[in-house]
Amino acid sequence: MIEGSGASIEFRGIGKRYGETVALADLDLTIQPGEFVSLLGPSGSGKTTTLNILAGLISADSGSIMIGDTDVTYLSPDRRGIAMVFQNYALYPHMTIAENLAFPLQARGRNLSRLAIKAKVQDVADTLGIGHLLARYPKEISGGQQQRVALGRAMVRDPKVFLLDEPLSNLDARLRLKMRRDLKALHQRLRSTIVYVTHDQSEAMSLSDRIAIYQGGRLQQCGTPADIYRRPANAFVANFMGEREMNNLPGTVVQTGGGVVFKAEGLDLTLPSTLSGWARFHDRAVTLGIRPQGVQIGQRADATQCEAVLRLVEHAGTEQFFYAQAGGVELSGAAAPDTPLAIGDRVSLTLLSRELYLFDTASGAALVQGGDLAA
Amino acid sequence: MMDGQRTPFQAYRYLLPALVLEAGFVFAPLALSLFYSVHRVRYYQLGDFNGVQNYLDVLSHRLFLNSFLVTCSFSLMALALTFAVGFGLALFLNRDTSGSILLRTIVLLPYVIAMLVGSMLLKWIFSTDAGLVPLAAAWFNITSPTILADPDYAMAAMVANGIWRDSAFAMVMLLAGLRSIPPNLILAARIDGAGSFMIFRRIMLPLLRPAILITLIRLLLHFANVLTFPLILTGGGPNNATETLALRIFRIGFEDFDLGKANAMAIVLCLFNIVAVILLLAVFRKTRGGQSL
Amino acid sequence: MRTKSKLRLAVLAMAGALLAPVAALAQTVTMWTFLNPASETPRDRALKQIIDKFETANPGIKIKVESQVWFTLAEKFVMAHRSRSAPDIGWVNGENMGLLVNSGVAEDLGPLITSKWTPALRQDLVLPQAYEWVKTGGKQVAVPIMALSIVLFYRKDLMREVGIDPAGIKTWDDLAAAAAKMQRSNGPNVERWGVGMHLSTDKTTMSFGANALAAAQGGKLFGDKCSALLANENGVRALNMQADLIRKHKVASQESFAYTLDDVIEQFIAGKVALASSGNGRFGNVMEKATWNGKELGMLPWPSLDGKKPGPQIMSGWFASISKDSKQKEAAAKFVAYMTGPDGMEIWAEPGGQVPLFKSVFDKPVFKDAKYDPLRQLSQMWADAEVWLPAECNAARTFVDLNTATQRVVLGNVDPMAALREAEAASAGRQ
């Protein structure tokens, strides 16, 4: 049986620049033992830099890193008690699967007997269901199997921390879903700390205990998937999470005789009384955000309403997405799969209050999250 | 159907230019050489057919065995040392610091100047009366040997000429091999806890096998057949200590004017090359890890 | 403007039309030589004068010179016959005469040139043997243009300095003693060697030992059918003499085994050796380039083992031959006869700086000047000791065999007689 218990990780003020470019700015992040944390963000956002600094492949300009109780800032990669799975797996092409798995065990200073190594390799291979592939070479097995071997090679040393660098991105869509499930199961069994780099928000959502989301070398927010989804710290996080981009409506909040109104380009949205607290944002430029799931066809009491003309409809199996013109803005929304929708139809749209977000246009900071005022 | 019939023809059509070149520059000279080797050809005049007489004369000559051994020992020493130096340089220069780029250029210099010029330069450097080596030796208060007049030193000088000129070639080939190793593999091995030596032995060396084999074969063929080094640097001497098979061929052909025997010897050298490459491949196959090469 | 250029064109066209028949009438004789008439060395200038004078006297014949590299000239000339691209006239050096004689590509110049000579002209030859030398089976395959020999250079200043009279050097022992006196050392490092020798097995020519051996054998190195005469008592003495200069007297560097003739003469010019042998053709060149006072350059008759007679002047030189494929042998022969006749020889002497091969040329008053003394001395040395090794024998390679034997004796501790037997066998295997 594979035994494992994770170590905590702590980044303290880590910074890294390349010339004028800031790759990572003043990162403070603490990861609990046994936690599965995804580093999420577009390319160049700093997530891979974080991983490489943690692995010891590059050194930070400032700050320090703790793994468990050890300051590893200046330790070489092999002395950090970590294992890493590379995006392209980095399997040694001239070694059999067994030799690949045995390689970390043969490293200097481990002093394991031939028999012990063999047993360990077999154990890991069986755990991952690749025991029958041990005599093959990497190029003779499938991508998914290679992926398992790469994982196995990381597991074989019982590391306190696993670093996974976009490990699923080279697999096709269905295999990726299966591997996600397997990874999650594996984590639940091993309980090691896993740091997982990805640019795929759904991967991060489905796998992680917590997600650290990056942009432009800065950590934007770190929290549970639900937290990040429901309570995005800013417009970037809100837009990055979710299958589809939010509707973003720049505008202003105005207090009128009939209540509080959000004025977008050519569109006035009268807010229900439950949202009267928005009046406090009347003096600045704001952006109203709403995910397509929050834009529905039909009228509903105590919700924001508007009239629109359908411009485009996409059928996506379990639901339909549509784009509708309302005043000067285009709104995308979702409807049940069997709702009859025709392009050119005039429809009434409801914007669900719990799906409304409001951001400061200049800073992007969230003012309203899921209908509630931000703390 | 049409395609199926056309394909072989088209394949040959694409091969044709290469085949023509091969025929013109390899098979035709080889055939001509074979033809001459079984004839009496004195003073460039083609004489009678004389069977294997040229071969018997050449192989039974007092100096044949000498030149065969000289060729073997020169090739092996030059091969081993040139390869080692080239490999060392490649590993050292595999980093893109500004210094290494300058150094790479310096190392390449002997390879790009004409072989003849290079050997003449070295001859001058090694000569007792005007040379840099004896001058340097004098600085350190060493009475320098007469390098080119001593059989052992002359061989060493010739090997040095080989190393000096061809390490750059080995370096370029091996550097290309090193550059083709995915950097992730090295990083992965480092994280797996492998030290520099283990990474070199278990990761780099096996992945360099094709580059190493090609480098070794090219160097071996070059050293086994090189004429310029002995002809210019040592003149085959002293006491025939550096008279290689290639130099003997040259002398029999162009100083004794006996092209029949020279060609017989050239065929012998050609066979020697083939055997040497087969041996090298055999050695390589024995050490092969398991991946196909 | 326009009319003027038209006029010019018309004149040019007319001139061309007039000249064309003349050009068509003129026979063009092609000659391969290592000289270049467009260049400025003494011999290049001489060749240009000869051609100019000949063409003026024979307006129907044009001489077209194609310059070649000297050391492959003979080979190229012989090989060109296989591709039918040989020139009418080819120059061949004495060292490669075997190639010409054995290949049979040369026209017999007897009927074309030498049989037309008057008895008086025959009596006038400086080197009568030279003509006999290039006869094979009664055919005259070439005629000499200029003669050369390997001579011994010395420095008058150094001889004076150590108080030695060059005329007193009769034996090789005398020479070794003189060399030892002229040698200069600084601690273990020799700054100037007594003698420079070229004993490499590379392209080479007659060594001291070869000269001594030939002298002891009455000027012979070859017997019948080019069998080399090396492995005998004389050979052993000559070989030991040569080896002793290095191993016993230590007046020559062991590096001699790596030196060619050119290496040695460079060192002589640089003042690093006191005595050296070279082709006499380099006399002027050494004088000019010497790092010491060039006027002190002298030529020494070769010593011999017994001192009774000077050692042989082993002769060589440049010869002209006519291709048997030539379409215009008469015209070619006419030029060769001129170039190698008394008129041509005068020009070879001045400005060419060569010993004229007809005695009468040197009798002319213009050559009484002191600056022709070295040439006169040379011609005297030749008259005293002229030796032509058989042209059909590959003498150059036999010299190498002797050098190899010397190397084997000194470096390989081989018995001299055994080494000479190997050399003799190697020589025989080549013929």
Side-chain angles (χ1 to χ4, degrees), chain C residues 59-71:
Chain C
I61 304 175
K62 287 258 163 242
I63 305 298
K64 185 178 162 213
V65 170
E66 293 177 359
S67 296
Q68 308 284 340
V69 178
W70 74 267
F71 55 86

Side-chain angles (χ1 to χ4, degrees), chain B residues 21-38 55 225 262-274:
Chain B
L21 285 178
E22 192 83 346
F25 289 101
V26 177
F27 297 128
L30 205 58
L32 200 62
S33 183
L34 259 175
F35 176 78
Y36 282 148
S37 75
V38 292
Y55 288 89
N225 300 303
N263 276 297
M265 196 134 162
I267 297 289
V268 171
L269 181 58
C270 182
L271 292 175
F272 174 79
N273 283 333
I274 293 171

Side-chain angles (χ1 to χ4, degrees), chain C residues 154-207:
Chain C
Y154 76 102
R155 283 170 59 180
K156 295 172 187 163
D157 54 342
L158 295 181
M159 289 278 190
R160 270 200 311 278
E161 207 174 279
V162 297
I164 291 178
D165 174 16
I169 298 175
K170 299 288 187 195
T171 66
W172 286 103
D173 287 337
D174 297 341
L175 182 115
K181 282 192 175 176
M182 291 188 284
Q183 183 152 321
R184 281 288 166 276
S185 297
N186 178 10
N189 295 320
V190 178
E191 290 177 339
R192 182 174 67 222
W193 288 95
V195 294
M197 292 200 288
H198 46 90
L199 294 175
S200 85
T201 48
D202 211 356
K203 290 241 174 209
T204 189
T205 181
M206 183 200 69
S207 62

Side-chain angles (χ1 to χ4, degrees), chain C residues 100-112:
Chain C
L100 190 74
V101 171
N102 290 313
S103 65
V105 299
E107 181 68 23
D108 182 8
L109 299 182
L112 286 168

Side-chain angles (χ1 to χ4, degrees), chain B residues 128-129 149 239 251 256, chain C residues 201 255 259 397 407-408 430:
Chain B
T128 305
D129 288 307
N239 196 10
R251 293 219 159 128
D256 295 351
Chain C
T201 48
E255 219 172 345
Y259 290 151
R397 287 297 279 159
Q407 292 189 2
R408 286 182 62 71
R430 200 173 284 129

Side-chain angles (χ1 to χ4, degrees), chain A residues 169-214:
Chain A
S169 62
N170 285 4
L171 301 177
D172 66 56
R174 274 168 200 264
L175 194 53
R176 205 178 309 167
L177 290 179
K178 177 173 154 37
M179 286 305 297
R180 259 190 220 177
R181 216 172 54 226
D182 291 356
L183 260 180
K184 186 123 191 166
L186 195 66
H187 176 239
Q188 268 156 13
R189 191 139 44 99
L190 296 178
R191 298 312 317 170
S192 323
T193 310
I194 294 182
V195 180
Y196 187 102
V197 166
T198 181
H199 62 268
D200 180 339
Q201 57 86 29
S202 70
E203 212 167 276
M205 298 271 273
S206 61
L207 282 169
S208 316
D209 296 325
R210 278 194 302 152
I211 296 172
I213 181 160
Y214 283 78

